[in-house]
Every structure is written in structure tokens, then in C-alpha cells.
Amino acid sequence: MDKAALVRRLYSADSGMNMLTKPEKVLFANTNLMCCLTPRADDGTMRETFLASQLAVAHKLSMPSQGDLVADGRWFFEAGGKNKGFSQIKGIENSYIVADKIDIGRYLFSFSACFIRIKGTGF
């Protein structure tokens, strides 16, 4: 299902990707599939799926021990709503909250990530 681009398997950041180990999390490849195949999608899973689909274009993703996703083993992301706090990623260097239902929202995240990468000031 990976090759068909239906799902995205996330392995632990500690163990690396080993085909013999069980993935820590399995997400749909994108939110469109999720909406088509799931009668009522959970908001948190929808956020993580969207974030993973945007970051996976240019980064290797894995599951950190804290937070939702880690990109290239360096940048830690926590997806949440407008009231999301920093408690889950407190004390982690290069950690970011990606919140929706605020002015920029998750729909502009991919644009801003692209802009940061083009300018060379971020990842």
C-alpha cells in the first residue's frame, strides 16, 4: 500500500526504518483519501495526515518519542488546534507547533514551509 501511495508508515526515530519492525503509526497518504474512506475523520488524525503529506515531499519523516512528527531527524512538529500548547514538545530544540483554526492555518503551512526552504532560512 506504500507503493500505491495509499498509506504512509512512520517508524520510530530511534530505531530507523527497518522493514522487519512494526511501524509506530500508519496514516493515510493524504487527507483526500481519508475523507473518501472514513465516514467521520478525527480532527487530530486529519491534522497529522495533512502535516505528514506536506513534509514528506522534501523530508524523511519518522515518529519521535515526543511530538507528532520529526523531519530529517532534526525538526520536531506537534499538530494541534488553536489552543495547542507547548507541553508535549517542551525542552526540545527545533520543535514547532503547527496549529490550525488560526489566521495562517494548516492550509498555508505548505506554502510557508516552501518559502522557508526557498529562502534558505529554515529547512
Side-chain angles (χ1 to χ4, degrees):
M1 296 218 311
D2 270 340
K3 289 181 183 179
L6 295 176
V7 296
R8 178 170 284 107
R9 294 181 294 175
L10 297 175
Y11 293 91
S12 170
D14 301 331
S15 66
M17 188 176 154
N18 181 347
M19 296 309 278
L20 298 177
T21 60
K22 176 179 95 162
E24 293 291 319
K25 189 179 279 190
V26 177
L27 298 170
F28 281 106
N30 63 57
T31 53
N32 292 331
L33 287 171
M34 190 174 200
C35 290
C36 290
L37 301 173
T38 308
R40 184 168 172 98
D42 176 64
D43 283 348
T45 306
M46 185 76 78
R47 289 179 187 117
E48 288 180 32
T49 300
F50 180 82
L51 180 60
S53 70
Q54 298 304 298
L55 291 173
V57 173
H59 304 281
K60 181 180 180 289
L61 301 180
S62 55
M63 276 296 297
S65 56
Q66 290 179 274
D68 288 330
L69 295 169
V70 62
D72 298 333
R74 295 174 44 181
W75 298 288
F76 293 81
F77 294 93
E78 178 67 32
K82 68 178 180 177
N83 297 321
K84 186 68 176 179
F86 287 90
S87 62
Q88 288 181 293
I89 56 173
K90 183 179 179 181
I92 300 175
E93 192 174 331
N94 296 321
S95 61
Y96 305 93
I97 297 287
V98 179
D100 68 351
K101 300 185 180 170
I102 58 173
D103 290 337
I104 187 169
R106 65 181 173 213
Y107 299 104
L108 294 178
F109 176 74
S110 60
F111 173 75
S112 62
C114 225
F115 181 73
I116 290 168
R117 192 169 53 246
I118 290 168
K119 287 292 192 181
T121 59
F123 47 100

